[in-house]
DNA sequence: TATTGTTATACTCTATAACTATA
DNA sequence: TATAGTTATAGAGTATAACAATA
């Protein structure tokens, strides 16, 4: 009997279709929370702020790489974030060609509000879930995250 | 920053933080798959195509509503999709003020390719997950989706 | 000469406002 | 008059290409 293998051993493809279908609501929460903040800051600006927050010291080229845009685009993006008082742009002390990007306090507060909003919306949904399901979701997501790591790309016979 | 208040055992707040953290990889797959198609079609255009695909008969105002943009923006978006051969724009027979939007075959093929790409990437990750975890993920997501339904919004306002 | 950013130009996406056509 | 879309104009985001400053 292969009852245990009915799902996972059978077809990752079938599970993928289910995940694909069911992930929509989760994405919607992330999007909805972002919209609450986006009245002041556009989506690309928000991404840029998050990237700067995650890197202790970042230059413009590094930000462009992380954003997946060209340096010229990153320059303009930073212009607006600086003008909005969210980002600080300073000439690097070690290399005067480079600029160092850091968040200004207003930028940090904005990111903190966004995270709080997102978690609050997630919590509101989770509170209505069947007891064990939330734990399943966490475990499933964590396993998914682990399996998605580059190091895990062990080519397990597609 | 975030005051992670400890609440009595397994509270939604704590779980929400975990979900928030762990959902990143899942979002990344969706984004990555979309990028493969976005070389030809921009993100807003892709959203518009998906919305048209999901509605048997949709007029321009309806599309604008679904996109969350103004009719004028939707008009321009449709201009480009029509020019790209992905969308069909016809005057409604019942009301000559309205236009009816439908996908052209090339638009349908594009969406089909995107879904296949996304599912293939999901399947590749799922194949590397611990056996039961994929099933947990599906159950967790489905429960999350159910709990996120408007009908389930039994107060719970935080 | 190579690297790091910026400026110039053009196209997409969006909003606001004014407009046309239909009901 | 109200409704459905479009056109005009402007700002943001992005790419390509040319440029300036530093190493």
């Amino acid at each position: 009997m292969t009852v245990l293998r009915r799902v996972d051993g059978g077809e990752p493809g079938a599970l993928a279709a289910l995940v694909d279908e069911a992930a929509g609501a989760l994405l919607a929460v992330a999007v909805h929370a972002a919209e609450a903040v986006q009245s002041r800051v556009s989506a690309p600006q928000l991404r840029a702020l998050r990237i700067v927050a995650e890197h202790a010291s970042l230059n413009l080229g590094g930000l462009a790489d992380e954003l997946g845009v060209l340096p010229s685009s990153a320059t303009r993006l930073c212009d607006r974030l600086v003008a909005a008082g969210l980002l600080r742009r300073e000439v690097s002390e070690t290399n005067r060609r480079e600029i160092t990007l850091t968040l200004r306090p207003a930028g940090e507060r904005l990111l903190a509000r966004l995270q709080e909003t997102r978690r609050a919306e997630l919590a509101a949904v989770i509170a209505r879930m069947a007891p064990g399901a939330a734990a399943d979701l966490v475990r499933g997501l964590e396993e998914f995250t682990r399996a998605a790591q580059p190091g895990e790309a062990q080519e397990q016979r597609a």
Side-chain angles (χ1 to χ4, degrees), chain A:
Chain A
M1 298 292 246
T2 53
V3 173
L4 188 63
R5 289 285 157 189
R6 182 170 54 91
V7 269
D8 55 321
E11 305 302 333
L15 282 170
L18 291 174
V19 170
D20 189 28
E21 280 293 319
L26 190 55
L27 304 200
V29 169
V31 169
H32 186 262
E35 280 171 0
V37 176
Q38 274 182 29
S39 53
R40 308 167 183 286
V41 180
S42 72
Q45 287 174 353
L46 205 50
R47 283 186 63 209
L49 291 178
R50 272 197 282 242
I51 289 166
V52 171
E54 289 169 0
H55 293 77
S57 181
L58 192 68
N59 62 11
L60 191 132
L63 174 61
D65 284 347
E66 294 283 339
L67 283 170
V69 302
L70 297 182
S72 63
S73 300
T75 292
R76 295 300 168 85
L77 201 51
C78 288
D79 286 346
R80 289 158 198 139
L81 289 171
V82 168
L86 302 172
L87 188 68
R88 190 183 292 113
R89 176 160 47 178
E90 296 169 307
V91 174
S92 167
E93 296 179 353
T94 61
N95 182 337
R96 293 221 310 266
R97 283 185 306 202
E98 296 184 6
I99 63 173
T100 299
L101 302 171
T102 51
L103 290 187
R104 297 204 48 191
E108 292 182 1
R109 286 195 299 271
L110 186 147
L111 289 184
R113 279 202 307 275
L114 172 62
Q115 185 180 33
E116 284 174 23
T117 300
R118 202 173 53 237
R119 289 185 178 183
E121 294 192 5
L122 285 172
V125 175
I126 288 170
R128 296 195 295 271
M129 288 174 72
D136 286 347
L137 179 60
V138 170
R139 174 165 178 252
L141 285 174
E142 287 178 344
E143 248 299 290
F144 185 93
T145 298
R146 190 196 59 71
Q149 297 302 317
E152 294 294 327
Q154 312 261 353
E155 284 305 324
Q156 287 209 0
R157 176 174 56 85

